[in-house]
Amino acid sequence: MKRQEENPCSASPCAHHPSLSEVLLASVIRCKGALGLGLVVGAVAGYLVLAYTPPTYKAIMTLTSAASGREDLGLDRKARDDQQTSFKGGLRKLETLTKFAMGIELISSVRLARILEEKHHISRQLLSLRQNPTSGEWERPQGLLSRISLLPSPPVGPDLLAQQISQRVKVKMKTLGVYEVTFIDRDPVFAAELLTALYQEVEALMVEDARAENRALVDHLTHAMAEATDDNNRQAITDLLRDAQRQQIALEAVKPYAWRLLDPPSRPTERQSPARSFGLAVMAAVALAFWLLAELFICLKTRSQRRKNDAG
């Protein structure tokens, strides 16, 4: 009798193992009802999220450094030496960059926050304050943690305003020497108005500080002139005093001082968030959850049936 050849693929090591794509396809076919229901529920959930979540808008302004002009007026007209002119030109560039950096640092300062609150009353919209119908005072809305006294809300003041401005006003370099300042808020009009007020008040503060410094310098040189007895010292002080007076004239006449506005902030029309992609992500997450729950239910049901069969 002829010996029958054994099929090598009939053994378990050579058995066909389904690939991951085949497993997923089989799972989708098994759970197609739950997956379809999840897509429908997810689409409704995504629509509700987009419809009822308050949109936010991003206001943008573009800045670059601005020479005030006082450095040019402060140059000694008698000194036309190339080396001295080059040295003073480098100092002017360094001073311009320093002024710009100081203006950026002022954005998150308590001093600027106090001025913005006094002149523009930004706290009501920046902190989403609500008026108490009983006392008539403006108060912050109490969150869940604040209501159960686990995390009390900080008091409304310049420190809190400066913290909010520092967190929500972003400055980044767009190109070499050009910076983009952005602010995101639910009110597009307020977003543009805040950036405009911020630009104006930073410029005003920088000019105010420069004028105070210049007045102190002029007073010091005037006092030194009165006490000087040597002719050489008097001439040197006279030259310094003339330069300081030229700088004083420049501070009164030349604008802008620290920042030059390339693109002023305008009312944004395109909403920043929530984006449509967020609604699609919600729909996909809900559908995935339905699919996984259906697969888990089928697996548990199959395991329970196998136990019953083994017991029988």
Side-chain angles (χ1 to χ4, degrees), residues 88-110:
K88 288 194 173 184
L91 288 181
R92 294 201 306 274
K93 292 180 180 179
L94 179 60
E95 184 176 356
T96 299
L97 295 176
T98 303
K99 290 187 299 184
F100 185 85
M102 291 175 62
I104 297 297
E105 291 295 326
L106 272 175
I107 291 178
S108 58
S109 66
V110 177

Side-chain angles (χ1 to χ4, degrees), residues 71-117:
E71 301 91 337
D72 294 331
L73 294 176
L75 281 176
D76 188 359
R77 305 299 180 181
K78 300 177 182 180
R80 292 299 181 182
D81 182 79
D82 292 339
Q83 182 178 359
Q84 186 176 5
T85 303
S86 175
F87 175 72
K88 288 194 173 184
L91 288 181
R92 294 201 306 274
K93 292 180 180 179
L94 179 60
E95 184 176 356
T96 299
L97 295 176
T98 303
K99 290 187 299 184
F100 185 85
M102 291 175 62
I104 297 297
E105 291 295 326
L106 272 175
I107 291 178
S108 58
S109 66
V110 177
R111 181 186 178 193
L112 178 64
R114 184 180 293 108
I115 292 176
L116 289 174
E117 174 61 16

Side-chain angles (χ1 to χ4, degrees), residues 193-251:
E193 289 177 350
L194 179 68
L195 287 187
T196 302
L198 188 145
Y199 169 75
Q200 294 172 351
E201 299 304 334
V202 167
E203 278 284 305
L205 282 177
M206 295 287 291
V207 172
E208 179 183 348
D209 292 344
R211 287 174 179 172
E213 180 183 350
N214 184 264
R215 283 194 298 268
L217 178 61
V218 170
D219 293 342
H220 175 72
L221 292 175
T222 303
H223 182 71
M225 174 73 73
E227 295 182 350
T229 57
D230 185 79
D231 291 339
N232 293 330
N233 290 340
R234 292 179 63 87
Q235 182 61 42
I237 295 175
T238 301
D239 293 339
L240 291 176
L241 185 60
R242 185 184 299 112
D243 291 344
Q245 291 172 345
R246 286 171 179 167
Q247 293 174 4
Q248 192 172 21
I249 295 174
L251 285 173

Side-chain angles (χ1 to χ4, degrees), residues 277-295:
S277 58
F278 181 72
L280 295 176
V282 171
M283 182 180 68
V286 173
L288 180 62
F290 271 72
W291 177 25
L292 294 177
L293 288 175
E295 184 66 29

